[in-house]
Amino acid sequence: MRIDGKFLRSRVARRIATLFLVAALLPTSLLAFLTYRDVSRVTLEQQQDELVGASRAYGMALYSRLLFVRTVLENMAKKGEREWLLNADVPIFRSLEHIDAGQAQQWKRAMADSAGRDPALMVHGGGPAKAADIMMAAAMPHRRGNLLAAHVNPRYLWGASEDVDAAYNICIYSKGVQLHCAYPDETGSDDDKLRGEWELSLDPSFGIAPWKVVAVRRFPPRRAHSDFFNLYLAVAGCGVLLIMLLSLIQIRRTMGPLERLIDGTRRIAAGNYDDIRTDSRDEFGDLASAVNAMSARIRRQLSTLQTLSAIDRDMREQLDLPHLIAKIGDAMRQIVPDADLYVLRYAGNERENDRLFVQHGAGTPARENAAPAPSREADMLVQHPLGLLDAAPPSFLPAAFAHNWRIALLWRGRVCGILCLAWNDARALNEETMAELAELANRIAVAIQIEEREQRLLYQARFDSLTGLMNRHGLEERIAHIESGNVPAAVLFVDIDRFKHVNDNFGHRIGDLLLQAIAARLREFAECDTVGRLGGDEFILLLSGASNPTRVTSSASSLMALLTRPFDISGEQFTVTCSIGIALHPAQGADGLTLIERADIAMYRAKQTGRNNFRFYDERMTVENHARLALEFDLRQALGTHEFVLHYQPRVDLKTGHIVGSEALLRWNHGSRGMIAPAHFIGIAEETGLIVPIGTWVLRSACAQQAAWRRDGVAASVVAVNVSTRQFGEPDFVETVAATLAETGLPAECLELELTESMIMDDVEEAILILGRLRALGVKLSIDDFGTGYSSLAYLKRFPISALKIDQSFVRDIVDDQDDRLIVASIIGLAHNLQLKVVAEGVEDVAQLSYLAQQNCDEIQGYHFSPPVTALEFFRMAAARQRLEWPLPDSSVLQTERR
Ligand code: C2E
Ligand code: MG
Ligand code: MG
């Protein structure tokens, strides 16, 4: 096994290696230390013993030599001969001396030791520098008192140096004095600790103090223990090395897979899910397998998540269900390879419209077919949120598969389809994989819902929910389509006349039914052309290819005729008329918005010109329309900016010539355009509903003014206020009048409300009720512009009115026109028959005046007496009791008239 140091870069590896090293070194070093100590001690003891042995051996030899010297000396003393010495091989004595008795005593004393005994031996001198002289004496038996003294030969006594082991230096001490040393020069050796001592007892034999034999090593001893120790170190070192080697091998075995695992985990964290390869069959192998399994799972789940997010993106950007199903099928095949995908999509309650999407194999498109009938299963699948594995195959699965898994496509608890995967190999699904498949299937349910909702929204965006006709958006798209094809077309803006009355009188439900019936009739009329509803009672007919105005005219006429045929709604007969505005493409507009807008303007004009007719759009209409819009804008501000003002036109009693009342007439003092007459804005105020607040203001101002005049003693007993249709239709109109009277303190009989025929004839019963309530307040009521509308005489009798105001159009030509004269006369006659007062409007000259007087008209109003004047001026006229001079000699100057 090759060990490179790379793995030691790992901290764990270094830590383990250090631990191993410490574990190996610690006992080894301790053992080495203890062993070294013991071996050194034993070696030292051994050397010590050796030295003691050497000193003993030498001491014993010395003693035997001393005994021998004594024996020889004693023998010589006996014999007294000198030849002994000469003949001897070894010169035992260096010299001999005969000591006589006298000297002997002295000599003995010198030799005597502390014990007081006669010594046979005498040491003389000695010390570190010089060897001692050894003297021995023996009594000479045949010469009494004499001694034979000998100077013992040191060479003999101490022995030849070669006789002694050269390894030792042996020295002899007596009483601490060195007598001899084999190697005197080496006596100062440092190694004095290691010495062997032996004591030679000389007292019994020679009567002197013992000698100490000291053996000292000359050379350092061979250090057997250091050899041992070196060997031990070598062995221990090898042991440590071996331990280290083995530990490194083991660390490498551990760290290798560990590093691969760490690498692998890092790769997984970085998004690389390749398997971690390891040959370990131990726990590391198990761990690697577990990590690999986990990484495979993460990879699959991630891929599922990526697919889901890609699918979500697709759904957000553009929803294409077959494409999406194919994509989800591919994702499912990563979990169940080679499976076929079947998606049955429910079409609401219309089972016959169910669709079946099939995808065989990855990467292939999902084909859409009509679902084989019957395909729908019982909704028991709903109870299996993870799907149903290997249940009996659903009926829409055409081929026989070994396995199938299917799940209900649910959206908010409603089944919108079924998804089925079918395959043949033996792959089993577990809960986890089924959950992943279910998550993917869920996306199809979402997609189906989104598609359905889109279709629904698309329908709602283009079609009107009430009639099923196209709405404005749909129409504009259709017109844009016509425009792109550059096809001529006519846009007919159809508005049902007075449709509001149907709603008001019969309720919205009937109104809606009528609108549906009208829509059906329009659809029937249009055939291949487009019909739409803009809202309310406004319809659009788009005649494609109609470039010829004659053809369009005939179409409009036929349409009007068709709509006038009665409608039967819930047993009630309805007859409607319509007003039609026509705009032509491309002459009068390119885009849908413009065409519809212009047709609308034309329709408005048709309405203005009496309804139940049609008008083609004309450029001038737009100009007028713009002016009208500008006026409408200003009108909305006028109340706030106090631009309205009331003028009062006197009403004169024909019999007395006195001012008996006035009519309040509205003026708009426009900031930039000056005084504007009501004819120019009352219509707009009516249409926009602004007439209601304006009318309330008029009522309050007129009442307040009349109350003020009354307080100032003005004789005019009544003020007449014009009421608009819109105002009259307000549910709280009567309450408003009552409140105004109360607020201004004007007695009710001083107020006259001018109503029009059409206003009360639209809904006679309702009108009679309202009029009755007004009358009950005490307010007077008159019918303005009488003769221009369609008053039914039968009803007239039932209205609680007090006066009729003959329209000025009859008065104008009263002098020249026989018919007008007759009409005026009949109106006056009729009114008087009904006990009603008659007021003639627009009386401009004496001729008119005289005819009216002749016909017994009660009151007149007109420029002849006075035009409408300011409140102040009216006050002056009334205060001056200005009166109509009648009969007048000259009709030209009656009043300060400003025409
Ligand atoms: P009207 O109620 O029939 O009022 C009479 C109109 O005839 C007034 O026109 C008046 O100035 C005009 N007039 C009076 N004497 C003569 C005359 O001798 N010769 C001619 N040619 N005209 C005469 P004005 O003020 O322009 O009002 C027009 C209409 O506007 C009124 O007709 C009335 O229907 C409406 N109107 C006026 N003020 C109000 C108002 O406050 N509320 C409502 N709803 N309508 C009003
Ligand atoms: Mg009037
Ligand atoms: Mg009038």
Side-chain angles (χ1 to χ4, degrees):
M1 181 187 284
R2 196 174 63 84
I3 299 176
D4 52 26
K6 261 203 304 195
F7 67 94
L8 278 177
R9 269 181 260 161
S10 147
R11 263 174 297 174
V12 174
R14 282 205 301 271
R15 199 179 307 141
I16 296 176
T18 312
L19 280 175
F20 270 112
L21 191 64
V22 171
L25 279 179
L26 213 62
T28 315
S29 317
L30 192 65
L31 200 62
F33 167 73
L34 293 175
T35 310
Y36 181 78
R37 203 190 58 181
D38 286 357
V39 168
S40 299
R41 187 173 46 79
V42 169
T43 311
L44 218 62
E45 281 171 9
Q46 197 182 1
Q47 284 173 356
Q48 184 80 41
D49 287 353
E50 268 176 33
L51 285 171
V52 170
S55 59
R56 190 197 301 122
Y58 184 85
M60 296 294 281
L62 178 63
Y63 187 65
S64 31
R65 277 195 296 276
L66 277 174
L67 287 179
F68 179 68
V69 168
R70 193 172 71 175
T71 309
V72 170
L73 191 62
E74 280 173 352
N75 283 336
M76 281 175 73
K78 275 180 202 164
K79 287 178 185 170
E81 295 300 330
R82 265 186 191 245
E83 298 91 272
W84 279 91
L85 285 171
L86 300 173
N87 292 337
D89 291 339
V90 180
I92 300 171
F93 304 114
R94 204 184 264 174
S95 65
L96 287 170
E97 197 180 339
H98 187 158
I99 296 165
D100 58 28
Q103 286 173 320
Q105 284 305 318
Q106 203 179 335
W107 210 82
K108 273 186 184 175
R109 265 196 304 275
M111 282 185 76
D113 71 349
S114 54
R117 286 182 294 156
D118 284 350
L121 203 58
M122 187 178 77
V123 178
H124 183 68
K130 186 172 156 283
D133 288 333
I134 306 299
M135 306 295 291
M136 197 177 279
M140 296 178 79
H142 49 278
R143 286 188 190 176
R144 207 175 154 109
N146 284 0
L147 291 171
L148 180 63
H151 186 190
V152 182
N153 186 357
R155 266 196 67 210
Y156 172 75
L157 184 63
W158 305 120
S161 56
E162 53 275 16
D163 295 344
V164 184
D165 191 337
Y168 307 109
N169 184 10
I170 295 181
C171 297
I172 315 294
Y173 297 88
S174 170
K175 296 182 186 167
V177 178
Q178 183 181 303
L179 302 182
H180 162 77
C181 253
Y183 302 96
D185 301 340
E186 298 171 10
T187 50
S189 156
D190 289 331
D191 195 7
D192 52 2
K193 276 191 197 155
L194 204 63
R195 51 170 56 197
E197 286 184 5
W198 189 73
E199 207 171 63
L200 175 60
S201 176
L202 293 176
D203 186 34
S205 307
F206 297 100
I208 61 168
W211 287 357
K212 197 197 274 181
V213 182
V214 177
V216 178
R217 257 194 189 281
R218 290 185 61 209
F219 315 108
R222 212 169 53 81
R223 301 176 86 90
H225 66 285
S226 78
D227 290 351
F228 166 80
F229 193 67
N230 286 342
L231 186 66
Y232 175 84
L233 272 187
V235 172
C238 286
V240 169
L241 275 179
L242 190 66
I243 289 172
M244 282 312 295
L245 187 70
L246 290 175
S247 72
L248 290 183
I249 290 170
Q250 192 48 41
I251 289 170
R252 189 171 178 275
R253 275 206 183 134
T254 311
M255 290 311 293
L258 194 61
E259 275 176 3
R260 278 195 290 279
L261 277 168
I262 293 169
D263 273 2
T265 328
R266 284 206 183 110
R267 269 192 291 109
I268 292 171
N272 178 349
Y273 298 96
D274 290 350
D275 276 0
I276 299 169
R277 266 190 286 281
T278 171
D279 338 312
S280 315
R281 297 220 180 100
D282 49 14
E283 285 80 357
F284 284 113
D286 295 346
L287 186 59
S289 312
V291 173
N292 284 341
M294 182 189 76
S295 127
R297 243 176 70 192
I298 293 176
R299 184 172 48 210
R300 207 185 55 233
Q301 285 174 348
L302 204 73
S303 134
T304 308
L305 277 178
Q306 281 166 346
T307 312
L308 289 175
S309 102
I311 288 165
D312 289 347
R313 202 174 45 241
D314 277 11
M315 284 199 287
R316 271 199 312 274
E317 284 165 6
Q318 193 199 7
L319 186 73
D320 174 2
L321 198 58
H323 168 77
L324 199 87
I325 289 176
K327 209 161 184 176
I328 289 176
D330 290 348
M332 286 182 160
R333 247 170 242 109
Q334 291 200 358
I335 301 167
V336 194
D338 302 324
D340 282 3
L341 174 68
Y342 295 83
V343 175
L344 177 72
R345 183 199 166 157
Y346 290 3
N349 294 326
E350 302 149 10
R351 290 177 174 230
E352 62 282 0
N353 291 336
D354 285 356
R355 310 293 296 165
L356 183 64
F357 296 84
V358 184
Q359 191 203 22
H360 303 290
T364 59
R367 268 188 278 281
E368 184 182 351
N369 307 301
S375 292
R376 291 197 183 180
E377 299 183 48
D379 287 345
M380 57 95 183
L381 265 184
V382 180
Q383 281 131 37
H384 299 275
L386 291 184
L388 208 55
L389 186 63
D390 287 340
S395 55
F396 59 79
L397 202 65
F401 286 93
H403 302 282
N404 73 73
W405 172 83
R406 65 185 187 277
I407 189 164
L409 300 176
L410 281 174
W411 180 256
R412 294 188 180 154
R414 187 174 70 81
V415 183
C416 58
I418 295 174
L419 178 143
C420 180
L421 270 184
W423 68 98
N424 280 319
D425 67 8
R427 177 174 301 264
L429 298 182
N430 57 27
E431 277 207 355
E432 190 190 331
T433 46
M434 277 165 46
E436 280 180 48
L437 289 173
E439 187 62 37
L440 285 164
N442 188 34
R443 286 302 191 281
I444 296 185
V446 174
I448 288 176
Q449 278 317 303
I450 292 177
E451 202 191 63
E452 273 180 12
R453 205 174 52 198
E454 270 183 8
Q455 282 170 358
R456 212 167 37 240
L457 286 176
L458 221 62
Y459 181 83
Q460 283 168 1
R462 293 203 178 109
F463 292 90
D464 168 46
S465 56
L466 178 70
T467 58
L469 298 179
M470 272 190 183
N471 61 14
R472 180 184 287 274
H473 181 68
L475 283 164
E476 281 176 11
E477 270 189 2
R478 188 55 65 87
I479 296 171
H481 183 66
I482 287 173
E483 183 199 338
S484 65
N486 213 15
V487 184
V491 175
L492 275 65
F493 196 113
V494 182
D495 188 284
I496 309 300
D497 294 332
R498 301 180 203 280
F499 185 77
K500 185 174 179 294
H501 298 290
V502 180
N503 270 341
D504 291 351
N505 297 321
F506 298 91
H508 281 87
R509 201 184 65 80
I510 296 290
D512 286 352
L513 289 174
L514 181 58
L515 285 173
Q516 283 170 341
I518 293 170
R521 210 172 274 185
L522 284 174
R523 208 184 281 122
E524 179 191 315
F525 175 81
E527 290 178 350
C528 311
D529 289 311
T530 306
V531 195
R533 175 172 173 248
L534 296 181
D537 57 351
E538 296 173 344
F539 294 89
I540 291 282
L541 190 67
L542 190 61
L543 302 178
S544 174
S547 56
N548 181 354
T550 322
R551 206 206 111 187
V552 179
T553 304
S554 98
S555 294
S557 307
S558 328
L559 179 62
M560 284 169 63
L562 184 74
L563 286 184
T564 44
R565 263 175 33 211
F567 291 93
D568 187 340
I569 308 291
S570 304
E572 197 92 33
Q573 295 287 308
F574 288 88
T575 309
V576 298
T577 61
C578 67
S579 304
I580 302 176
I582 305 163
L584 299 173
H585 170 79
Q588 290 161 346
D591 61 296
L593 199 70
T594 314
L595 283 166
I596 293 175
E597 196 178 279
R598 293 188 166 175
D600 186 11
I601 293 171
M603 184 280 293
Y604 176 73
R605 197 43 73 86
K607 282 247 183 243
Q608 276 188 327
T609 48
R611 301 191 171 96
N612 195 23
N613 63 17
F614 64 88
R615 292 291 289 267
F616 277 89
Y617 171 77
D618 184 321
E619 294 277 309
R620 278 167 301 183
M621 291 179 184
T622 299
V623 178
E624 287 163 16
N625 200 45
H626 282 169
R628 186 183 154 268
L629 285 175
L631 205 66
E632 181 185 324
F633 179 80
D634 293 346
L635 194 61
R636 287 181 190 279
Q637 328 293 324
L639 256 185
T641 50
H642 309 290
E643 289 180 354
F644 290 118
V645 65
L646 286 183
H647 282 189
Y648 297 87
Q649 188 173 34
R651 252 161 68 173
V652 183
D653 188 312
L654 253 185
K655 298 209 170 62
T656 62
H658 286 301
I659 298 172
V660 288
S662 67
E663 178 178 3
L665 292 160
L666 185 61
R667 300 288 178 264
W668 179 10
N669 193 4
H670 190 278
S672 57
R673 296 169 60 175
M675 205 60 94
I676 303 178
H680 294 109
F681 65 87
I682 288 289
I684 301 171
E686 284 259 8
E687 283 160 27
T688 53
L690 283 169
I691 195 67
V692 178
I694 294 173
T696 309
W697 177 85
V698 170
L699 184 69
R700 191 182 306 114
S701 306
C703 290
Q705 185 61 73
Q706 178 68 11
W709 282 330
R710 275 173 57 82
R711 281 195 298 275
D712 293 343
V714 169
S717 59
V718 71
V719 66
V721 173
N722 293 284
V723 175
S724 84
T725 314
R726 205 64 182 256
Q727 238 181 316
F728 188 70
E730 283 294 293
D732 59 348
F733 176 63
V734 182
E735 285 75 15
T736 307
V737 174
T740 308
L741 289 172
E743 193 185 311
T744 55
L746 183 71
E749 65 276 11
C750 294
L751 174 66
E752 183 175 308
L753 297 177
E754 295 190 7
L755 313 164
T756 60
E757 290 168 280
S758 58
M759 189 185 294
I760 47 183
M761 291 309 292
D762 269 351
D763 184 352
V764 177
E765 300 306 326
E766 178 72 13
I768 289 172
L769 265 176
I770 297 170
L771 295 179
R773 289 175 62 204
L774 286 169
R775 196 73 198 96
L777 287 178
V779 173
K780 291 181 178 147
L781 303 169
S782 61
I783 293 184
D784 201 1
D785 306 335
F786 190 79
T788 55
Y790 307 94
S791 294
S792 153
L793 292 178
Y795 286 129
L796 207 55
K797 202 172 61 182
R798 292 178 59 198
F799 294 138
I801 51 174
S802 51
L804 291 182
K805 291 185 83 174
I806 305 175
D807 190 66
Q808 54 180 281
S809 58
F810 302 112
V811 177
R812 192 178 301 129
D813 298 326
I814 207 168
V815 181
D816 310 322
D817 193 322
Q818 176 67 23
D819 290 347
D820 284 351
R821 271 208 301 278
L822 276 176
I823 291 172
V824 169
S826 342
I827 292 174
I828 294 172
L830 170 80
H832 285 165
N833 280 341
L834 293 171
Q835 311 300 318
L836 302 174
K837 211 159 53 177
V838 182
V839 184
E841 287 185 302
V843 181
E844 293 184 352
D845 53 44
V846 177
Q848 292 163 345
L849 196 63
S850 41
Y851 180 74
L852 289 166
Q854 192 188 326
Q855 294 303 316
N856 283 330
C857 180
D858 301 292
E859 290 174 21
I860 61 116
Q861 187 183 331
Y863 295 162
H864 177 67
F865 180 73
S866 168
V869 293
T870 61
L872 186 64
E873 215 165 322
F874 181 83
F875 174 73
R876 282 200 199 115
M877 286 169 72
R881 300 191 63 80
Q882 213 165 58
R883 61 189 290 268
L884 179 67
E885 297 296 336
W886 179 253
L888 282 176
D890 179 7
S891 64
S892 57
V893 187
L894 260 182
Q895 244 335 308
T896 49
E897 176 67 296
R898 280 182 311 208
R899 292 180 186 228

